[in-house]
Amino acid sequence: MDVANATWTNTIGAPELIAVWKDPGFDPAQRAFYYARVIEIPTPRWTAYDAKRFGVTPLPGTRMIVTERAYTSPIWYTPSK
């Protein structure tokens, strides 16, 4: 990542994730929900874009990088009666 120029390239991580997971404590008589959380690659924060665009030096301690999180929609399991 090039914070000074507010640019980045996707050179880390994987562009696609495929996995199979089984709940080791699954109880078919109990309600449950499942979802996935992922951490995205670090990218310039809006403060880095503003510093570049307006040609200013950020104040000391200003965060210039952000690592976003993403969550899937949950999958709900309800036991049949």
Side-chain angles (χ1 to χ4, degrees):
M1 178 179 357
D2 183 355
V3 175
N5 289 305
T7 61
W8 56 276
T9 57
N10 187 1
T11 58
I12 61 174
E16 184 176 345
L17 174 65
I18 299 172
V20 174
W21 178 79
K22 291 184 180 183
D23 180 356
F26 180 73
D27 178 356
Q30 187 176 28
R31 296 169 62 128
F33 70 95
Y34 302 94
Y35 65 96
R37 296 182 294 182
V38 296
I39 298 175
E40 297 180 357
I41 64 171
T43 56
R45 191 169 178 255
W46 66 269
T47 49
Y49 289 106
D50 281 357
K52 174 65 177 167
R53 180 177 184 182
F54 299 114
V56 296
T57 301
L59 295 172
T62 301
R63 287 188 12 197
M64 303 299 281
I65 300 169
V66 65
T67 304
E68 301 284 354
R69 271 70 170 156
Y71 300 84
T72 64
S73 296
I75 298 171
W76 297 88
Y77 171 79
T78 304
S80 50
K81 295 181 181 192

